[in-house]
Amino acid sequence: MIGEICVAATFISKFLCTRGLRNEQQLQTFSQSLQELLVEHYKHHWFPEKPCKGSGYRCIRINHKMDPLVGQAAQQIGLSSRELFRLLPSELTLWVDPYEVSYRIGEDGSICVLYEASPVGGSSQNSTNAQTVDSRSSCKEEPLLGRTSPSKNYNMMTVSG
């Protein structure tokens, strides 16, 4: 769980950095705070033997409303809601599941995988083959059903942890 949560928090932190928040201490505090909040929030909703179970609960969502956990972490560094909305996309969905972290920007965007790992012999620990995936080449290529408009272009980065 820690690896997946670290990837998710780092991904959001890098968004803040690339969109204007340059204070390294603030970024580290935000990331650490978000990790702690996610660990506590997911404590009873993490099922490595059934990775999809509870996935809605583990979804980090910004859809013209701020995800409460992201908002709490931002408060730790003194970011106002207005500043946070300026730094993050208005539509961002991040799924934090056992063995995979993926995201989508916009309602019609492609789903991209940030992190993948394989279960080791039925263990709930991530394999040593866990890897962060370069989002520019890992987006699933299947068209989304019901797509009505092209997705917006965003510059994305690879998250490493």
Side-chain angles (χ1 to χ4, degrees):
M1 172 168 53
I2 300 301
E4 291 89 342
I5 287 173
C6 182
V7 168
T10 301
F11 177 71
I12 294 172
S13 296
K14 288 200 175 195
F15 246 120
L16 298 178
C17 180
T18 60
R19 307 275 302 267
L21 183 63
R22 302 280 185 227
N23 182 312
E24 188 64 34
Q25 181 62 38
Q26 283 184 312
L27 289 167
Q28 288 177 353
T29 301
F30 172 84
S31 182
Q32 183 63 38
S33 176
L34 184 57
Q35 288 176 52
E36 291 168 5
L37 290 164
L38 292 174
V39 165
E40 182 62 29
H41 188 67
Y42 297 166
K43 187 171 21 179
H44 301 293
H45 299 275
W46 194 262
F47 308 98
E49 67 285 354
K50 295 181 182 178
C52 291
K53 182 178 178 180
S55 64
Y57 188 83
R58 294 185 308 271
C59 179
I60 298 171
R61 184 85 170 108
I62 300 167
N63 184 9
H64 304 291
K65 291 182 181 178
M66 187 54 58
D67 183 275
L69 298 175
V70 174
Q72 284 180 336
Q75 286 178 341
Q76 294 295 316
I77 61 169
L79 271 183
S80 69
S81 294
R82 185 175 182 192
E83 291 171 306
L84 192 55
F85 276 112
R86 181 182 60 79
L87 295 168
L88 295 173
S90 60
E91 304 242 357
L92 173 66
T93 306
L94 188 64
W95 294 276
V96 184
D97 296 319
Y99 315 116
E100 183 175 297
V101 178
S102 54
Y103 73 95
R104 179 183 67 208
I105 296 175
E107 287 299 313
D108 298 323
S110 297
I111 296 172
C112 299
V113 176
L114 287 171
Y115 171 91
E116 289 181 307
S118 300
V120 177
S123 167
S124 64
Q125 303 228 350
N126 287 347
S127 118
T128 55
N129 294 331
Q131 61 183 342
T132 302
V133 179
D134 184 340
S135 63
R136 292 170 298 196
S137 62
S138 66
C139 293
K140 295 174 183 165
E141 296 180 12
E142 306 88 28
L144 294 175
L145 296 176
R147 180 178 222 152
T148 58
S149 63
S151 60
K152 296 177 183 173
N153 291 327
Y154 289 90
N155 292 327
M156 296 309 304
M157 72 298 289
T158 299
V159 177
S160 59

